[in-house]
Amino acid sequence: MKKTYAIFLLGVIALAPVGTAQAQLVAEYDFSAAQGYVDGPLVGQPAGADYTWQEGAPDLPSDVVFTVANEAMLVTQTPPGAYWIYCEFPTQTEGDLTCTWDWQFLGPEANVNIGVCFSDSVNFNLDDNPALNWPEQGAMTRMQPDTNEIDVRNGDWEGGGTYEAFEGFDYTDGALIHMRMMIHILDLTLDVYAMKDGEAEVTLAEGYGFRRIPSVETDGINCISMWANGDALSSLILDNLVIAGPTSINHWELH
């Protein structure tokens, strides 16, 4: 799956018509041995890379929460507490980012609270505390326990907002879910879509606001972060995470 996916992605990026802006690969995480990943805790991987996964909550080490297993990220929700990790990438200050990934709920408890964010890492110290927190994030989506569906933060650009979704999208059947997030950096808005194999893509959000605007120092997006925060043992796998920009890739299918 990884090899076929990589070839298709590069084909999409390379085949833009001559004379038009082309999307470029910003970052790719497939958690494979080819990228330098090994089974075990995710923090510090891949060894020797320019950007490695970092601990986001020093008081709650994530070594058993975010791990690499069978060339994918395994997220094991281990109560109590909010566990965070993050990985920086080259700062993007204009245009659109297309962020895609696959994730799959494993169970056993259908009350997972695990989120994916694209943010400015300078904001992580807004409260003079190095531990990551939700109001410090930018573009956010999650698997949540209230309705067992995926929703998106419709932020107010100042750390607030509400979680919403245009349409309910259940994750508890264990199907592989292909996610596509469009981040409009200049507008500080995001669109989010989800799709299961053999089904139509579903619009979860369009024109939602960032939870927090980028800092003056960064003036853009330079970081992916994730949290796991629940009150029951549960887990999911996440794989094939790709970030491309500065022009959007619309209506593409990953598989």
Side-chain angles (χ1 to χ4, degrees):
M1 181 175 70
K2 295 176 186 297
K3 184 175 181 181
T4 301
Y5 173 80
I7 292 173
F8 179 78
L9 171 68
L10 293 177
V12 170
I13 293 174
L15 293 177
V18 174
T20 64
Q22 295 191 17
Q24 302 295 324
L25 185 65
V26 175
E28 179 183 10
Y29 314 82
D30 70 6
F31 309 102
S32 68
Q35 285 192 346
Y37 288 91
V38 298
D39 285 356
L42 180 59
V43 167
Q45 294 206 55
D50 292 337
Y51 302 97
T52 61
W53 291 91
Q54 301 294 312
E55 198 73 75
D59 294 336
L60 292 172
S62 68
D63 54 328
V64 299
V65 178
F66 296 95
T67 60
V68 177
N70 300 316
E71 298 196 320
M73 181 196 297
L74 175 65
V75 187
T76 304
Q77 185 173 276
T78 306
Y83 297 82
W84 288 87
I85 57 166
Y86 69 96
C87 188
E88 296 186 6
F89 51 79
T91 301
Q92 306 298 303
T93 59
E94 60 183 19
D96 295 335
L97 294 184
T98 303
C99 308
T100 64
W101 67 93
D102 300 333
W103 55 1
Q104 183 175 20
F105 172 73
L106 301 179
E109 298 288 342
N111 62 348
V112 64
N113 186 348
I114 293 172
V116 176
C117 316
F118 297 89
S119 304
D120 169 11
S121 62
V122 170
N123 283 339
F124 297 163
N125 285 300
L126 280 176
D127 56 1
D128 296 322
N129 185 334
L132 276 61
N133 207 342
W134 294 280
E136 300 167 340
Q137 306 301 316
M140 309 174 69
T141 186
R142 63 175 184 170
M143 288 185 179
Q144 50 89 5
D146 297 330
T147 62
N148 302 135
E149 294 176 335
I150 297 173
D151 60 13
V152 182
R153 189 74 180 192
N154 191 1
D156 63 1
W157 299 278
E158 296 179 352
T162 57
Y163 285 105
E164 306 172 12
F166 283 4
E167 184 174 338
F169 195 96
D170 182 81
Y171 61 79
T172 59
D173 59 3
L176 185 68
I177 300 170
H178 311 299
M179 299 294 296
R180 181 166 66 96
M181 178 185 288
M182 305 297 302
I183 299 176
H184 311 291
I185 296 177
L186 295 182
D187 294 336
L188 300 178
T189 60
L190 62 147
D191 313 324
V192 180
Y193 309 89
M195 181 178 67
K196 298 178 183 178
D197 286 335
E199 300 182 12
E201 188 177 66
V202 173
T203 300
L204 302 183
E206 285 188 343
Y208 282 16
F210 277 30
R211 186 158 187 174
R212 174 76 61 183
I213 64 172
S215 67
V216 173
E217 294 89 339
T218 302
D219 192 32
I221 299 297
N222 73 337
C223 185
I224 177 174
S225 56
M226 292 186 63
W227 82 79
N229 177 41
D231 57 7
L233 180 65
S234 202
S235 62
L236 62 82
I237 58 172
L238 188 147
D239 203 0
N240 296 325
L241 173 59
V242 176
I243 304 169
T247 186
S248 61
I249 305 172
N250 292 309
H251 308 301
W252 65 345
E253 295 182 357
L254 298 181
H255 303 277

